[in-house]
Amino acid sequence: APEAGTRARCEAERELGDQAKTVVEDLFASADEATFKIVERRGSIAFVAIYVSDQSVGAVLSDQDLAKRWSEADSASRPDWCS
């Protein structure tokens, strides 16, 4: 997902990040339950899949073009939210 706030690399990314944040806040606000599933661990960092009322948060963001898959091993595949 795009970065929000001071972590964004440009205004376009900041706006998309703010939109993504709002979508996630709205999902949690209307949720009956939330589930966090660890999908990968790298040292002290855990990567999780988040489900809110059985909806994948990642899929919801992706459907709204507010998240994209990319591989950390292939930095060229990292989305450029500024172009």
Side-chain angles (χ1 to χ4, degrees):
E3 298 287 352
T6 59
R7 293 183 54 116
R9 291 176 290 159
C10 65
E11 187 59 30
E13 182 175 23
R14 185 174 295 103
E15 289 174 8
L16 290 170
D18 289 343
Q19 288 176 29
K21 180 181 172 187
T22 298
V23 168
V24 172
E25 289 172 342
D26 290 347
L27 285 171
F28 275 95
S30 65
D32 294 326
E33 66 179 359
T35 306
F36 301 83
K37 179 182 175 189
I38 297 174
V39 294
E40 184 179 347
R41 285 189 184 272
R42 291 191 204 153
S44 63
I45 298 172
F47 294 85
V48 298
I50 304 169
Y51 296 86
V52 177
S53 299
D54 293 326
Q55 290 185 76
S56 164
V57 172
V60 170
L61 291 173
S62 182
D63 289 347
Q64 295 182 34
D65 294 325
L66 294 172
K68 298 178 182 175
R69 288 190 172 271
W70 65 282
S71 167
E72 192 173 335
D74 177 16
S75 61
S77 70
R78 183 177 182 154
D80 182 359
W81 301 99
C82 296
S83 60

